[in-house]
Amino acid sequence: MLNVILCGAPGSGKGTQSDLLVKNYGLQHLSTGDLLRAEIKSGSQLGKQIEDLIAKGNLVSDHTMIHLIENFLDNLSPDCKGIIFDGYPRTVDQAEALTLMLKRRKMNAVMLDMYVDEDEIIKRLLERGKVSGRTDDNFETIKQRLKVFHEVTKPVCYYYLTRHNYFAINGNNTVENTFAQIDTILKLVQK
Ligand code: AMP
């Protein structure tokens, strides 16, 4: 299995690159943001609890997230070629839990860290906000999401870096050029 953790600030292009990975590698896309938004839409108890956190740009609890991932892994189809973790792990505790969850299933994952300049990120997210309908694609919340990313999620990159399981991607590029970098790395990883 080829399991890929896509890390990067909000707006760094994780969703776009995930679509290309699905198309080119047949991997299964797991976007925790999409899962959580579906939960809110369903009107469930969990959805009600997390709605405000997401709208304000804060993280959902590790406990909830780890449970969600465990559940996803338990229901994985046997013919799954690999998973794209898009938006998870976002804390070091989530990363440690993922390592254990994968180890128990004799799986592992590589991290691809997509770097994009902050000015470009804000521009992209404000543009997306015009059509996405997302409660968190507004200037105030974008600022908070970036703060959370730098303070809480960036250390997750170092977690993988220190475990020699980390690759940096320059996302200040066209979609095609960014994917070409990812493609080169994944081909080498699979050798
Ligand atoms: P995203 O679509 O990945 O930008 O996620 C949107 C929002 O969902 C985030 O700003 C968080 O509030 C929440 N979220 C998504 N993934 C996680 C996670 N792994 N841990 C905590 N909160 C998350």
Side-chain angles (χ1 to χ4, degrees), residues 140-156:
E140 199 69 14
T141 312
I142 290 168
K143 280 282 183 202
Q144 173 62 11
R145 287 159 72 197
L146 287 172
K147 183 169 178 279
V148 170
F149 174 75
H150 289 298
E151 289 176 5
V152 188
T153 305
K154 201 64 204 172
V156 174

Side-chain angles (χ1 to χ4, degrees), residues 113-163:
D113 180 16
M114 299 180 38
Y115 175 79
V116 177
D117 291 337
E118 199 139 314
D119 291 355
E120 174 65 18
I121 278 176
I122 294 172
K123 203 171 86 189
R124 284 186 194 175
L125 288 175
L126 288 176
E127 203 53 42
R128 185 174 80 183
K130 289 181 192 163
V131 288
S132 70
R134 281 179 55 162
T135 52
D136 55 354
D137 280 343
N138 61 77
F139 190 67
E140 199 69 14
T141 312
I142 290 168
K143 280 282 183 202
Q144 173 62 11
R145 287 159 72 197
L146 287 172
K147 183 169 178 279
V148 170
F149 174 75
H150 289 298
E151 289 176 5
V152 188
T153 305
K154 201 64 204 172
V156 174
C157 298
Y158 305 133
Y159 173 89
Y160 288 96
L161 187 59
T162 54
R163 282 159 184 77

Side-chain angles (χ1 to χ4, degrees), residues 29-179:
H29 183 202
L30 168 62
S31 158
T32 45
D34 283 352
L35 276 188
L36 296 171
R37 282 184 288 276
E39 202 64 49
I40 295 172
K41 218 168 164 193
S42 78
S44 70
Q45 197 53 39
L46 173 63
K48 289 194 178 81
Q49 284 165 20
I50 62 179
E51 193 167 11
D52 198 45
L53 283 172
I54 294 184
K56 291 203 168 97
N58 294 316
L59 294 184
V60 173
S61 77
D62 286 341
H63 177 79
T64 300
M65 296 312 300
I66 292 165
H67 184 72
L68 220 96
I69 299 296
E70 187 93 64
N71 194 41
F72 172 85
L73 292 174
D74 281 345
N75 290 297
L76 210 57
S77 148
D79 54 14
C80 175
K81 290 183 182 164
I83 306 160
I84 309 157
F85 292 93
D86 166 6
Y88 184 97
R90 262 179 155 97
T91 68
V92 171
D93 283 353
Q94 290 182 16
E96 284 174 340
L98 181 64
T99 301
L100 290 177
M101 287 189 274
L102 293 179
K103 208 168 171 185
R104 276 205 295 275
R105 294 167 174 85
K106 300 193 178 2
M107 291 158 70
N108 53 25
V110 291
M111 165 170 280
L112 303 178
D113 180 16
M114 299 180 38
Y115 175 79
V116 177
D117 291 337
E118 199 139 314
D119 291 355
E120 174 65 18
I121 278 176
I122 294 172
K123 203 171 86 189
R124 284 186 194 175
L125 288 175
L126 288 176
E127 203 53 42
R128 185 174 80 183
K130 289 181 192 163
V131 288
S132 70
R134 281 179 55 162
T135 52
D136 55 354
D137 280 343
N138 61 77
F139 190 67
E140 199 69 14
T141 312
I142 290 168
K143 280 282 183 202
Q144 173 62 11
R145 287 159 72 197
L146 287 172
K147 183 169 178 279
V148 170
F149 174 75
H150 289 298
E151 289 176 5
V152 188
T153 305
K154 201 64 204 172
V156 174
C157 298
Y158 305 133
Y159 173 89
Y160 288 96
L161 187 59
T162 54
R163 282 159 184 77
H164 308 291
N165 226 354
Y166 169 95
F167 300 89
I169 306 288
N170 181 357
N172 285 308
N173 268 303
T174 60
V175 170
E176 294 76 20
N177 187 296
T178 302
F179 186 71

